[in-house]
Amino acid sequence: QVQLVESGGGLVQAGGSLRLSCTVSRSIFSINVMGWYRQAPGKQRELVADITSGSSTNYADSVKGRFTISRDIAKNILYLQMNSLKPEDTAVYYCNAFVRIVSYWGKGTLVTVSS
């Protein structure tokens, strides 16, 4: 079992920045893929960014150049640095870890971007 706890969400004005953190209950060194997803009201959950155990990263087109995913392996934390935030980035952001054949989710953290 893997527990994921997100933090760092909040209210920010358009153009501002936030850094989300996902604290993991076990070593993240060998986790196949970790990622950030988001779900806006009335919409499906979508991938924001992910990172593999080999440190390859992948971003949704809508956040490329503005968001950066990273890991602190020593602290077992996954980050999402979000810059130049837009009102359309408003959503609940979820951390995900894919370990072998099981997908684990955190409970999410709300990000609200005001115009």
Side-chain angles (χ1 to χ4, degrees):
Q1 190 76 2
V2 179
Q3 281 81 44
L4 309 173
V5 180
E6 302 96 337
S7 61
L11 174 64
V12 64
Q13 288 188 331
S17 298
L18 283 175
R19 188 176 78 161
L20 305 184
S21 300
C22 173
T23 301
V24 187
S25 63
R26 55 150 279 178
S27 171
I28 65 173
F29 176 75
S30 60
I31 291 181
N32 306 77
V33 182
M34 295 194 69
W36 288 96
Y37 290 72
R38 67 186 181 187
Q39 187 166 17
K43 295 188 176 181
Q44 289 188 332
R45 191 173 297 189
E46 62 176 2
L47 174 68
V48 176
D50 60 26
I51 184 167
T52 70
S53 56
S55 298
S56 296
T57 58
N58 174 53
Y59 295 91
D61 287 342
S62 59
V63 307
K64 281 181 181 176
R66 299 188 298 122
F67 291 11
T68 303
I69 189 170
S70 63
R71 302 176 300 167
D72 187 328
I73 292 174
K75 295 182 179 179
N76 298 328
I77 299 176
L78 178 73
Y79 296 106
L80 184 68
Q81 177 67 43
M82 305 187 294
N83 299 327
S84 302
L85 282 160
K86 304 175 181 180
E88 51 264 43
D89 295 318
T90 294
V92 177
Y93 284 70
Y94 297 92
C95 178
N96 174 266
F98 192 77
V99 182
R100 295 190 180 90
I101 61 170
V102 181
S103 185
Y104 296 92
W105 294 92
K107 293 184 178 180
T109 185
L110 177 63
V111 172
T112 303
V113 184
S114 64
S115 56

